[in-house]
PDB file of all heavy atoms in Angstrom:
ATOM      1  N   GLN K  13       8.887  14.711  -1.506  1.00  0.00           N
ATOM      2  CA  GLN K  13       8.288  15.098  -0.237  1.00  0.00           C
ATOM      3  C   GLN K  13       9.362  15.512   0.751  1.00  0.00           C
ATOM      4  O   GLN K  13      10.453  14.896   0.799  1.00  0.00           O
ATOM      5  CB  GLN K  13       7.511  13.910   0.342  1.00  0.00           C
ATOM      6  CG  GLN K  13       6.269  13.493  -0.427  1.00  0.00           C
ATOM      7  CD  GLN K  13       5.129  14.470  -0.200  1.00  0.00           C
ATOM      8  OE1 GLN K  13       4.931  15.345  -1.025  1.00  0.00           O
ATOM      9  NE2 GLN K  13       4.441  14.284   0.902  1.00  0.00           N
ATOM     10  N   PRO K  14       9.100  16.498   1.590  1.00  0.00           N
ATOM     11  CA  PRO K  14      10.083  16.853   2.627  1.00  0.00           C
ATOM     12  C   PRO K  14      10.080  15.847   3.764  1.00  0.00           C
ATOM     13  O   PRO K  14       9.073  15.145   4.016  1.00  0.00           O
ATOM     14  CB  PRO K  14       9.584  18.236   3.115  1.00  0.00           C
ATOM     15  CG  PRO K  14       8.123  18.291   2.758  1.00  0.00           C
ATOM     16  CD  PRO K  14       7.971  17.413   1.544  1.00  0.00           C
ATOM     17  N   VAL K  15      11.194  15.762   4.434  1.00  0.00           N
ATOM     18  CA  VAL K  15      11.318  14.931   5.629  1.00  0.00           C
ATOM     19  C   VAL K  15      10.227  15.316   6.630  1.00  0.00           C
ATOM     20  O   VAL K  15       9.962  16.490   6.841  1.00  0.00           O
ATOM     21  CB  VAL K  15      12.704  15.102   6.276  1.00  0.00           C
ATOM     22  CG1 VAL K  15      12.757  14.431   7.652  1.00  0.00           C
ATOM     23  CG2 VAL K  15      13.764  14.467   5.374  1.00  0.00           C
ATOM     24  N   GLY K  16       9.597  14.324   7.236  1.00  0.00           N
ATOM     25  CA  GLY K  16       8.562  14.561   8.240  1.00  0.00           C
ATOM     26  C   GLY K  16       7.173  14.723   7.696  1.00  0.00           C
ATOM     27  O   GLY K  16       6.202  14.779   8.462  1.00  0.00           O
ATOM     28  N   SER K  17       7.045  14.740   6.368  1.00  0.00           N
ATOM     29  CA  SER K  17       5.706  14.896   5.766  1.00  0.00           C
ATOM     30  C   SER K  17       5.052  13.543   5.597  1.00  0.00           C
ATOM     31  O   SER K  17       5.727  12.502   5.632  1.00  0.00           O
ATOM     32  CB  SER K  17       5.807  15.595   4.400  1.00  0.00           C
ATOM     33  OG  SER K  17       6.524  14.814   3.510  1.00  0.00           O
ATOM     34  N   PRO K  18       3.714  13.491   5.429  1.00  0.00           N
ATOM     35  CA  PRO K  18       3.063  12.205   5.245  1.00  0.00           C
ATOM     36  C   PRO K  18       3.204  11.681   3.820  1.00  0.00           C
ATOM     37  O   PRO K  18       3.575  12.422   2.907  1.00  0.00           O
ATOM     38  CB  PRO K  18       1.596  12.530   5.577  1.00  0.00           C
ATOM     39  CG  PRO K  18       1.455  13.982   5.216  1.00  0.00           C
ATOM     40  CD  PRO K  18       2.786  14.604   5.507  1.00  0.00           C
ATOM     41  N   LEU K  19       2.850  10.389   3.661  1.00  0.00           N
ATOM     42  CA  LEU K  19       2.926   9.757   2.362  1.00  0.00           C
ATOM     43  C   LEU K  19       1.674   8.918   2.106  1.00  0.00           C
ATOM     44  O   LEU K  19       1.168   8.273   3.021  1.00  0.00           O
ATOM     45  CB  LEU K  19       4.154   8.829   2.286  1.00  0.00           C
ATOM     46  CG  LEU K  19       4.212   7.906   1.062  1.00  0.00           C
ATOM     47  CD1 LEU K  19       4.582   8.700  -0.199  1.00  0.00           C
ATOM     48  CD2 LEU K  19       5.215   6.777   1.274  1.00  0.00           C
ATOM     49  N   ARG K  37       9.839  -2.360  -2.352  1.00  0.00           N
ATOM     50  CA  ARG K  37      10.681  -1.208  -2.509  1.00  0.00           C
ATOM     51  C   ARG K  37      11.974  -1.617  -3.174  1.00  0.00           C
ATOM     52  O   ARG K  37      12.539  -2.696  -2.883  1.00  0.00           O
ATOM     53  CB  ARG K  37      11.007  -0.534  -1.155  1.00  0.00           C
ATOM     54  CG  ARG K  37      11.901   0.677  -1.295  1.00  0.00           C
ATOM     55  CD  ARG K  37      11.987   1.469  -0.007  1.00  0.00           C
ATOM     56  NE  ARG K  37      12.489   0.714   1.127  1.00  0.00           N
ATOM     57  CZ  ARG K  37      12.343   1.080   2.365  1.00  0.00           C
ATOM     58  NH1 ARG K  37      11.687   2.211   2.655  1.00  0.00           N
ATOM     59  NH2 ARG K  37      12.800   0.331   3.330  1.00  0.00           N
ATOM     60  N   PRO K  61      10.116  -4.201   9.601  1.00  0.00           N
ATOM     61  CA  PRO K  61       9.646  -3.152  10.504  1.00  0.00           C
ATOM     62  C   PRO K  61      10.170  -1.783  10.084  1.00  0.00           C
ATOM     63  O   PRO K  61      11.341  -1.658   9.759  1.00  0.00           O
ATOM     64  CB  PRO K  61      10.236  -3.570  11.884  1.00  0.00           C
ATOM     65  CG  PRO K  61      11.396  -4.436  11.525  1.00  0.00           C
ATOM     66  CD  PRO K  61      11.035  -5.132  10.259  1.00  0.00           C
ATOM     67  N   GLN K  62       9.329  -0.793  10.048  1.00  0.00           N
ATOM     68  CA  GLN K  62       9.738   0.532   9.560  1.00  0.00           C
ATOM     69  C   GLN K  62       8.619   1.517   9.846  1.00  0.00           C
ATOM     70  O   GLN K  62       7.629   1.167  10.471  1.00  0.00           O
ATOM     71  CB  GLN K  62       9.973   0.463   8.052  1.00  0.00           C
ATOM     72  CG  GLN K  62       8.770  -0.036   7.330  1.00  0.00           C
ATOM     73  CD  GLN K  62       9.182  -0.753   6.041  1.00  0.00           C
ATOM     74  OE1 GLN K  62      10.163  -0.378   5.415  1.00  0.00           O
ATOM     75  NE2 GLN K  62       8.495  -1.811   5.709  1.00  0.00           N
ATOM     76  N   ASN K  63       8.788   2.734   9.407  1.00  0.00           N
ATOM     77  CA  ASN K  63       7.772   3.755   9.666  1.00  0.00           C
ATOM     78  C   ASN K  63       6.708   3.805   8.565  1.00  0.00           C
ATOM     79  O   ASN K  63       5.972   4.776   8.496  1.00  0.00           O
ATOM     80  CB  ASN K  63       8.419   5.124   9.848  1.00  0.00           C
ATOM     81  CG  ASN K  63       8.982   5.636   8.536  1.00  0.00           C
ATOM     82  OD1 ASN K  63       9.575   4.891   7.764  1.00  0.00           O
ATOM     83  ND2 ASN K  63       8.765   6.911   8.266  1.00  0.00           N
ATOM     84  N   LEU K  64       6.657   2.780   7.727  1.00  0.00           N
ATOM     85  CA  LEU K  64       5.623   2.710   6.693  1.00  0.00           C
ATOM     86  C   LEU K  64       4.509   1.800   7.175  1.00  0.00           C
ATOM     87  O   LEU K  64       4.719   0.904   8.002  1.00  0.00           O
ATOM     88  CB  LEU K  64       6.186   2.187   5.390  1.00  0.00           C
ATOM     89  CG  LEU K  64       7.311   3.016   4.747  1.00  0.00           C
ATOM     90  CD1 LEU K  64       7.894   2.254   3.567  1.00  0.00           C
ATOM     91  CD2 LEU K  64       6.809   4.376   4.317  1.00  0.00           C
ATOM     92  N   SER K  77       1.361   3.947   3.200  1.00  0.00           N
ATOM     93  CA  SER K  77       1.310   5.256   3.898  1.00  0.00           C
ATOM     94  C   SER K  77       2.460   5.425   4.862  1.00  0.00           C
ATOM     95  O   SER K  77       3.126   4.466   5.263  1.00  0.00           O
ATOM     96  CB  SER K  77       0.031   5.365   4.694  1.00  0.00           C
ATOM     97  OG  SER K  77      -1.121   5.191   3.880  1.00  0.00           O
ATOM     98  N   SER K  78       2.704   6.678   5.186  1.00  0.00           N
ATOM     99  CA  SER K  78       3.611   7.020   6.269  1.00  0.00           C
ATOM    100  C   SER K  78       3.115   8.308   6.935  1.00  0.00           C
ATOM    101  O   SER K  78       2.622   9.193   6.232  1.00  0.00           O
ATOM    102  CB  SER K  78       5.031   7.228   5.774  1.00  0.00           C
ATOM    103  OG  SER K  78       5.876   7.665   6.818  1.00  0.00           O
ATOM    104  N   LYS K  79       3.261   8.390   8.215  1.00  0.00           N
ATOM    105  CA  LYS K  79       2.851   9.623   8.919  1.00  0.00           C
ATOM    106  C   LYS K  79       4.004  10.659   8.855  1.00  0.00           C
ATOM    107  O   LYS K  79       3.735  11.865   8.769  1.00  0.00           O
ATOM    108  CB  LYS K  79       2.527   9.333  10.351  1.00  0.00           C
ATOM    109  CG  LYS K  79       1.250   8.507  10.542  1.00  0.00           C
ATOM    110  CD  LYS K  79       0.929   8.254  11.975  1.00  0.00           C
ATOM    111  CE  LYS K  79      -0.339   7.448  12.152  1.00  0.00           C
ATOM    112  NZ  LYS K  79      -0.658   7.158  13.564  1.00  0.00           N
ATOM    113  N   LYS K  80       5.237  10.169   8.900  1.00  0.00           N
ATOM    114  CA  LYS K  80       6.393  11.089   8.863  1.00  0.00           C
ATOM    115  C   LYS K  80       7.513  10.413   8.066  1.00  0.00           C
ATOM    116  O   LYS K  80       8.148   9.490   8.544  1.00  0.00           O
ATOM    117  CB  LYS K  80       6.883  11.414  10.284  1.00  0.00           C
ATOM    118  CG  LYS K  80       5.954  12.299  11.070  1.00  0.00           C
ATOM    119  CD  LYS K  80       6.574  12.671  12.412  1.00  0.00           C
ATOM    120  CE  LYS K  80       5.703  13.601  13.232  1.00  0.00           C
ATOM    121  NZ  LYS K  80       6.293  13.991  14.517  1.00  0.00           N
ATOM    122  N   LEU K  81       7.799  10.946   6.913  1.00  0.00           N
ATOM    123  CA  LEU K  81       8.828  10.356   6.032  1.00  0.00           C
ATOM    124  C   LEU K  81      10.232  10.627   6.542  1.00  0.00           C
ATOM    125  O   LEU K  81      10.512  11.682   7.132  1.00  0.00           O
ATOM    126  CB  LEU K  81       8.714  10.893   4.618  1.00  0.00           C
ATOM    127  CG  LEU K  81       7.567  10.328   3.794  1.00  0.00           C
ATOM    128  CD1 LEU K  81       7.351  11.162   2.510  1.00  0.00           C
ATOM    129  CD2 LEU K  81       7.812   8.879   3.450  1.00  0.00           C
ATOM    130  N   LEU K  82      11.092   9.647   6.309  1.00  0.00           N
ATOM    131  CA  LEU K  82      12.520   9.762   6.607  1.00  0.00           C
ATOM    132  C   LEU K  82      13.284   9.829   5.292  1.00  0.00           C
ATOM    133  O   LEU K  82      12.792   9.368   4.245  1.00  0.00           O
ATOM    134  CB  LEU K  82      13.013   8.554   7.423  1.00  0.00           C
ATOM    135  CG  LEU K  82      12.267   8.225   8.701  1.00  0.00           C
ATOM    136  CD1 LEU K  82      12.759   6.908   9.271  1.00  0.00           C
ATOM    137  CD2 LEU K  82      12.423   9.356   9.725  1.00  0.00           C
ATOM    138  N   LEU K  83      14.498  10.364   5.322  1.00  0.00           N
ATOM    139  CA  LEU K  83      15.325  10.384   4.131  1.00  0.00           C
ATOM    140  C   LEU K  83      15.534   8.967   3.562  1.00  0.00           C
ATOM    141  O   LEU K  83      15.548   8.794   2.352  1.00  0.00           O
ATOM    142  CB  LEU K  83      16.665  11.014   4.416  1.00  0.00           C
ATOM    143  CG  LEU K  83      16.721  12.505   4.644  1.00  0.00           C
ATOM    144  CD1 LEU K  83      18.121  12.965   5.056  1.00  0.00           C
ATOM    145  CD2 LEU K  83      16.298  13.260   3.383  1.00  0.00           C
ATOM    146  N   SER K  84      15.646   8.008   4.436  1.00  0.00           N
ATOM    147  CA  SER K  84      15.892   6.629   4.014  1.00  0.00           C
ATOM    148  C   SER K  84      14.671   5.982   3.339  1.00  0.00           C
ATOM    149  O   SER K  84      14.814   4.871   2.813  1.00  0.00           O
ATOM    150  CB  SER K  84      16.296   5.794   5.226  1.00  0.00           C
ATOM    151  OG  SER K  84      15.288   5.837   6.235  1.00  0.00           O
ATOM    152  N   ASP K  85      13.553   6.668   3.347  1.00  0.00           N
ATOM    153  CA  ASP K  85      12.371   6.134   2.662  1.00  0.00           C
ATOM    154  C   ASP K  85      12.426   6.393   1.154  1.00  0.00           C
ATOM    155  O   ASP K  85      11.582   5.872   0.401  1.00  0.00           O
ATOM    156  CB  ASP K  85      11.099   6.753   3.232  1.00  0.00           C
ATOM    157  CG  ASP K  85      10.807   6.305   4.640  1.00  0.00           C
ATOM    158  OD1 ASP K  85      11.112   5.146   4.981  1.00  0.00           O
ATOM    159  OD2 ASP K  85      10.297   7.121   5.441  1.00  0.00           O
ATOM    160  N   SER K  86      13.386   7.167   0.702  1.00  0.00           N
ATOM    161  CA  SER K  86      13.499   7.427  -0.734  1.00  0.00           C
ATOM    162  C   SER K  86      13.745   6.132  -1.495  1.00  0.00           C
ATOM    163  O   SER K  86      14.469   5.237  -1.014  1.00  0.00           O
ATOM    164  CB  SER K  86      14.659   8.384  -1.002  1.00  0.00           C
ATOM    165  OG  SER K  86      14.382   9.662  -0.468  1.00  0.00           O
ATOM    166  N   GLY K  87      13.114   6.011  -2.654  1.00  0.00           N
ATOM    167  CA  GLY K  87      13.302   4.817  -3.444  1.00  0.00           C
ATOM    168  C   GLY K  87      12.166   4.627  -4.471  1.00  0.00           C
ATOM    169  O   GLY K  87      11.326   5.517  -4.650  1.00  0.00           O
ATOM    170  N   TYR K  89       8.989   2.434  -5.479  1.00  0.00           N
ATOM    171  CA  TYR K  89       7.987   1.588  -4.857  1.00  0.00           C
ATOM    172  C   TYR K  89       7.121   0.913  -5.905  1.00  0.00           C
ATOM    173  O   TYR K  89       6.612   1.572  -6.803  1.00  0.00           O
ATOM    174  CB  TYR K  89       7.132   2.383  -3.895  1.00  0.00           C
ATOM    175  CG  TYR K  89       7.903   2.795  -2.639  1.00  0.00           C
ATOM    176  CD1 TYR K  89       8.712   3.927  -2.664  1.00  0.00           C
ATOM    177  CD2 TYR K  89       7.821   2.050  -1.467  1.00  0.00           C
ATOM    178  CE1 TYR K  89       9.423   4.314  -1.555  1.00  0.00           C
ATOM    179  CE2 TYR K  89       8.533   2.450  -0.323  1.00  0.00           C
ATOM    180  CZ  TYR K  89       9.354   3.554  -0.397  1.00  0.00           C
ATOM    181  OH  TYR K  89      10.062   3.945   0.709  1.00  0.00           O
ATOM    182  N   LEU K 112       9.824   7.896  -5.191  1.00  0.00           N
ATOM    183  CA  LEU K 112       9.689   8.765  -4.030  1.00  0.00           C
ATOM    184  C   LEU K 112      11.065   9.326  -3.689  1.00  0.00           C
ATOM    185  O   LEU K 112      12.017   8.584  -3.449  1.00  0.00           O
ATOM    186  CB  LEU K 112       9.127   8.020  -2.822  1.00  0.00           C
ATOM    187  CG  LEU K 112       9.145   8.777  -1.489  1.00  0.00           C
ATOM    188  CD1 LEU K 112       8.266  10.010  -1.566  1.00  0.00           C
ATOM    189  CD2 LEU K 112       8.739   7.882  -0.347  1.00  0.00           C
ATOM    190  N   THR K 113      11.149  10.656  -3.652  1.00  0.00           N
ATOM    191  CA  THR K 113      12.378  11.296  -3.198  1.00  0.00           C
ATOM    192  C   THR K 113      12.006  12.106  -1.953  1.00  0.00           C
ATOM    193  O   THR K 113      11.139  12.988  -2.022  1.00  0.00           O
ATOM    194  CB  THR K 113      12.942  12.225  -4.265  1.00  0.00           C
ATOM    195  OG1 THR K 113      13.182  11.481  -5.455  1.00  0.00           O
ATOM    196  CG2 THR K 113      14.276  12.843  -3.787  1.00  0.00           C
ATOM    197  N   VAL K 114      12.689  11.817  -0.868  1.00  0.00           N
ATOM    198  CA  VAL K 114      12.469  12.560   0.376  1.00  0.00           C
ATOM    199  C   VAL K 114      13.625  13.543   0.523  1.00  0.00           C
ATOM    200  O   VAL K 114      14.795  13.150   0.496  1.00  0.00           O
ATOM    201  CB  VAL K 114      12.395  11.625   1.583  1.00  0.00           C
ATOM    202  CG1 VAL K 114      12.109  12.405   2.836  1.00  0.00           C
ATOM    203  CG2 VAL K 114      11.311  10.577   1.362  1.00  0.00           C
ATOM    204  N   VAL K 115      13.258  14.840   0.647  1.00  0.00           N
ATOM    205  CA  VAL K 115      14.305  15.875   0.669  1.00  0.00           C
ATOM    206  C   VAL K 115      14.306  16.605   2.026  1.00  0.00           C
ATOM    207  O   VAL K 115      13.329  16.573   2.752  1.00  0.00           O
ATOM    208  CB  VAL K 115      14.099  16.877  -0.459  1.00  0.00           C
ATOM    209  CG1 VAL K 115      14.241  16.177  -1.796  1.00  0.00           C
ATOM    210  CG2 VAL K 115      12.723  17.534  -0.359  1.00  0.00           C
TER     211      VAL K 115
END
Side-chain angles (χ1 to χ4, degrees):
Chain K
Q13 292 285 97
V15 169
S17 64
L19 170 73
R37 178 168 60 197
Q62 56 209 325
N63 70 317
L64 298 172
S77 304
S78 175
K79 292 182 179 178
K80 289 185 178 182
L81 284 168
L82 305 173
L83 287 175
S84 58
D85 291 325
S86 293
Y89 289 82
L112 171 64
T113 303
V114 182
V115 296

